[in-house]
Amino acid sequence: MTIKITTDSTCDLPAALLEQRNITVAPLGVAKGGKLYHDGVDISIWDIAAHVDGGGEITTTSAVNIADYETLFAPLSERYDAVIHINLGSGFSSCHQNARAAAQEFGNVYVVDSGNLSSGHGLVVLAASDAAAAGKSPAEILTLLEKLIPRVEASFVMDRLEYMKKGGRCSAVLALGANLLRLHPGIQVIDGKMSVVKKYRGTMEKAIADYIHDRLDGRTDIDTSRAVLVDCCRAPGLVETARDLLRADGRFGEIIEAKAGCTIFSHCGPDTLGIMFLRR
């Protein structure tokens, strides 16, 4: 049986890895300067940063619509025995709702709500790809993902709240206070929603080191088979700090490094970094 895995651009996995695994990606929309672009296709995170740095409004993002999902699914449903599509969590976007509506036109397309974002979503995609490569049936893969999704631990630390302020996601007073106090919010996805779990003080490099120690030290519940280090950092040394600490931890069998895409960047801004893994 041939099974095709598809996903959305919010999975934030390296393009080379997606190509190697034959995973097809549907890009979300990104509106900049009155023009609609496609995440990772004709716009990059640095295009957005240059636009905002130059005084432009923060970019807005839009879900993949039903028609575009139908266009994605139609040829694949004919070519493969089954198509399993994994979405950005339904708590963050209408992508899942739209994909489910489109899938009703096809008897062999199955849509999965990752319950997560960025490379937390990506971990679910990789698990589906692994299972398909191992010869699992669609029913077996769907059952596996249902059990795996609650085990995904996705978190990140942000440098500043400027993008969230510009996008109306936090108040100007909150952003100013955090910046003056050199506080860097630590965010975790809990029950399909983003929650601030800690505020780190000091330089961003120190915040990243403290954040990684908080996520890893003393833990015995981590599935150490795979971790994803995802970032949209432009300040020198930040990714290197995180990479060195993850390698020094020594427990993960595989560490994938990835860049956040335009959809995630539009919400968090530059110098955001996260680590994603599964709990046992």
Side-chain angles (χ1 to χ4, degrees), residues 9-269:
S9 58
T10 51
C11 69
D12 289 352
L13 293 172
L17 182 61
L18 292 166
E19 182 178 356
Q20 175 190 336
R21 290 170 173 262
N22 190 31
I23 297 170
T24 299
V25 175
L28 274 75
V30 180
K32 178 178 75 71
K35 182 178 179 181
L36 182 64
Y37 297 84
H38 297 90
D39 185 358
V41 177
D42 51 8
I43 188 171
S44 74
I45 61 174
W46 307 124
D47 294 329
I48 297 172
H51 174 73
V52 175
D53 289 348
E57 293 295 320
I58 189 67
T59 49
T60 58
T61 60
S62 58
V64 182
N65 62 41
I66 295 173
D68 285 344
Y69 278 126
E70 289 176 344
T71 300
L72 171 68
F73 296 151
L76 297 178
S77 69
E78 294 183 358
R79 181 177 176 185
Y80 294 89
D81 295 314
V83 178
I84 296 178
H85 180 79
I86 299 144
N87 284 117
L88 169 70
S90 58
F92 306 110
S93 167
S94 60
C95 279
H96 180 67
Q97 177 183 339
N98 292 347
R100 287 193 64 181
Q104 291 178 3
E105 301 297 319
F106 311 95
N108 63 341
V109 176
Y110 308 91
V111 178
V112 176
D113 180 352
S114 74
N116 225 299
L117 48 69
S118 189
S119 299
H121 164 198
L123 284 172
V124 182
V125 175
L126 292 177
S129 174
D130 288 342
K136 301 291 186 183
S137 69
E140 289 173 320
I141 295 174
L142 294 175
T143 298
L144 180 152
L145 296 183
E146 182 180 6
K147 294 177 179 178
L148 178 140
I149 285 168
R151 296 168 44 213
V152 176
E153 185 163 315
S155 63
F156 51 95
V157 61
M158 300 171 59
D159 181 21
R160 299 168 70 87
L161 292 171
E162 288 303 310
Y163 275 56
M164 295 190 77
K165 183 192 77 173
K166 287 177 179 288
R169 302 177 190 96
C170 76
S171 70
V173 172
L174 177 61
L176 178 63
N179 292 340
L180 288 175
L181 294 171
R182 300 179 76 188
L183 297 177
H184 310 281
I187 311 290
Q188 184 174 347
V189 177
I190 301 173
D191 296 329
K193 298 179 181 179
M194 288 188 292
S195 300
V196 178
V197 293
K198 189 166 183 176
K199 295 176 181 176
Y200 295 93
R201 187 183 296 272
T203 66
M204 189 58 185
E205 189 167 355
K206 179 180 183 299
I208 285 174
D210 291 344
Y211 154 74
I212 290 181
H213 284 298
D214 281 348
R215 304 317 300 177
L216 300 181
D217 289 359
R219 298 276 297 272
T220 58
D221 64 334
I222 297 175
D223 179 337
T224 57
S225 58
R226 172 183 289 150
V228 182
L229 170 62
V230 60
D231 81 278
C232 49
C233 295
R234 58 183 178 183
L238 300 184
V239 176
E240 290 78 7
T241 293
R243 179 190 298 128
D244 290 346
L245 287 170
L246 270 178
R247 289 177 176 173
D249 181 82
R251 285 180 287 175
F252 290 104
E254 179 185 24
I255 298 173
I256 297 169
E257 294 192 29
K259 288 293 181 184
C262 296
T263 302
I264 301 301
F265 186 84
S266 294
H267 294 261
C268 67

